[in-house]
């Protein structure tokens, strides 16, 4: 393909718009890393999520494994850099793009697999933040990422890019009602924690308590004082974390759904953490407690 | 001020360019949060970092504390939203901008204060990443953030925005040669860790070892096997972390400067973490070990 004004090129480019994506149930993966992860997922599962691949000769030469995977689909078409630039949201898609079917998993399927760590994005609006959290959730070994109703579209080109391929690793559930979600999560044996800068439970305290249980040692550090900051939530237990909107955080209704409102401690003068940073710290704290706590009873 | 084409408006708008910033030693803080933190810093220190404040009536009414601080400078001028939009890099500066002097601290001053936690950005290029790391460093209680030669300009408008005010909390050192920096840090009693996805030392192992020392308990969890993954670096010791360029990570030369190459564990299928996410996990791990390890000898 050499004509950047061809109808097919325009059809692909239209996937930058949410309405076109939703109508067709398709989105665009851009660049070697994203396309490779998409093709690997198909190869692993025997599915056909990737419906079209467009690549330049030089890209296929530079990434032979990618070339092989793309050729095996039977859906590969060679294209010029000009055509690829016209298709893609990025200025430079690095020689390859792929049209992919929506990946949404159903909540039923996710819960049937007894998840131990789930990230829930409650009305997160920034595509970069959403992608970063999905990537961090993948790194922390989360079993699923859920986008509630009113969240940014995970298939937005910038969100897809920010996941750096993790969109093709972690099951994603979208458009879920929060109230229903939380009761379903609880039914599947997960506790629910709200990440909340104003939370009375300190994440460090939960980590300390978890470490103390694991080591059967005395409670760690200073006496915790009375009241809410001494929580009984076992961080090593299966957990769903709720992360809120960038500007408003979690709403009162969302906070009320959780077993505890947990704050990432701020040791310095920062007023708050950005939601991606907070989510990373929370998910890694859970992953670490769960990994270390394997074999422990969590009553 | 009502004329968005006035010379003074253009002068301020030019601060979006690095060359203009460097020539004048000035940068722009945009929005109520950044301007408030800048003014508070001046009030706290008795300095005059803020040289000009431009604000709309409605903004000063909405944020009375900000209005008071800005009025006290004697450098406040009322401006229309049109003027403010013409001055600012953002489409919507939310009614206030301030021209500020460069904040750079000298490495001498930073080291004289016996820092315990320092973040070093080695050729980090993306202003959003740089700002996010600075904000995370502030949250983790870091004593300084150092930008080596070849890093993005911390006074870039997007970087300033991404710090969410933390630029005015944490001493920032810029333009430092890496080799000299590391020997100066060592001379000040800091150990040096390189955050490296390919590192042989697992951050979890360092955290486990630190926890075990603190609790005087047996080594935690599974036997660690032999070789490099069992490190002797004490995470509770004063530490400078090196974080690398987004695309290339740390160079061999940079890695060779460190006491250990430390990887954030990846529990899932993500290939890597973005540098902001990795930095957050590393800095919080150090902060937590240092906080808990207070009073311990760290030999």
């Amino acid at each position: 393909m050499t004509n950047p004004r061809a109808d097919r090129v325009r059809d692909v480019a239209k996937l930058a718009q949410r309405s076109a994506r939703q109508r067709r149930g398709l989105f665009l993966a851009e660049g070697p890393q994203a396309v490779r992860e998409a093709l690997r997922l198909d190869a692993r599962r025997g599915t056909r999520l990737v419906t079209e691949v467009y690549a330049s000769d030089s890209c296929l030469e530079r990434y032979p494994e990618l070339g092989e995977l793309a050729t095996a689909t039977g859906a590969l078409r060679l294209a010029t850099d000009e055509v690829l630039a016209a298709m893609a949201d990025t200025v430079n898609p690095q020689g390859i793009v792929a049209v992919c079917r929506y990946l949404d998993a159903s909540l039923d399927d996710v819960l049937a697999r007894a998840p131990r760590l789930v990230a829930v994005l409650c009305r997160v609006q920034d595509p970069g933040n959403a992608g970063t959290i999905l990537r961090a959730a993948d790194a922390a070994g989360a079993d699923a990422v859920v986008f509630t109703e009113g969240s940014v579209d995970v298939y937005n080109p910038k969100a897809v890019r920010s996941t750096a391929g993790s969109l093709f690793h972690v099951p994603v559930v979208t458009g879920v009602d929060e109230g229903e979600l939380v009761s379903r999560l609880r039914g599947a044996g997960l506790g629910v924690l709200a990440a909340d800068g104003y939370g009375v439970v300190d994440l460090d305290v939960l980590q300390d308590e978890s470490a103390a249980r694991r080591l059967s040692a005395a409670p760690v550090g200073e006496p915790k004082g009375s009241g809410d900051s001494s929580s009984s939530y076992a961080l090593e237990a299966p957990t769903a974390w709720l992360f809120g909107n960038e500007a408003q955080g979690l709403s009162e209704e969302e906070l009320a759904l959780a077993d505890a409102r947990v704050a990432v401690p701020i040791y310095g003068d920062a007023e708050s953490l950005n939601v991606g940073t907070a989510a990373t710290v929370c998910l890694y704290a859970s992953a670490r407690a769960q990994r270390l706590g394997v074999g422990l009873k969590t009553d």
Side-chain angles (χ1 to χ4, degrees), chain A residues 9 56 59 71 78 83 136 145 171 187 195 220 235 246 256 260 262 274 289 296 299:
Chain A
V9 176
S56 69
C59 176
T71 308
L78 290 178
V83 163
V145 176
V220 172
L235 201 58
E246 290 86 350
V262 181
N274 103 0
L296 264 189
D299 43 35

Side-chain angles (χ1 to χ4, degrees), chain A residues 12 43 64-66 69 89 92 145 155 163 170 180 188 221 226 228 237 252-253 286 288 292:
Chain A
V12 173
E65 186 210 346
L66 184 58
L69 282 165
D89 182 67
N92 175 14
V145 176
Y155 302 114
T163 72
V170 186
E180 191 207 328
S226 63
D228 285 328
E252 280 305 317
E253 292 73 25
S286 278
R288 189 169 145 71
L292 294 169

Side-chain angles (χ1 to χ4, degrees), chain A residues 1-6 9 77-84 86-87:
Chain A
M1 301 180 67
T2 56
N3 179 7
R5 281 182 208 81
V9 176
R77 293 199 58 176
L78 290 178
T80 61
D81 284 336
E82 212 185 347
V83 163
L84 291 164
M87 286 175 165

Side-chain angles (χ1 to χ4, degrees), chain A residues 3 48 52 78 88 158 171 243 283:
Chain A
N3 179 7
R48 193 62 194 275
E52 301 159 37
L78 290 178
K158 188 170 177 209
F243 304 114
L283 292 169

Side-chain angles (χ1 to χ4, degrees), chain A residues 1-38:
Chain A
M1 301 180 67
T2 56
N3 179 7
R5 281 182 208 81
D7 284 351
R8 191 188 280 239
V9 176
R10 282 187 194 170
D11 274 356
V12 173
K14 271 190 197 147
L15 296 177
Q17 300 160 20
R18 186 169 192 164
S19 58
R21 290 195 296 274
Q22 287 188 322
R23 198 170 54 242
R24 298 166 59 195
L26 297 173
F27 70 100
L28 198 61
E30 303 176 25
Q33 186 184 34
V35 176
R36 187 182 62 233
E37 297 308 303

Side-chain angles (χ1 to χ4, degrees), chain A residues 150-199:
Chain A
S151 300
V152 66
D153 182 12
V154 68
Y155 302 114
N156 168 300
K158 188 170 177 209
V160 173
R161 260 198 311 283
S162 302
T163 72
S166 289
L167 177 59
F168 303 103
H169 300 156
V170 186
V172 167
V173 183
T174 67
V176 184
D177 171 77
E178 288 161 3
E180 191 207 328
L181 171 66
V182 166
S183 65
R184 297 287 311 279
L185 290 166
R186 285 234 171 73
L190 289 136
V192 179
L193 294 180
D196 173 21
Y198 303 101

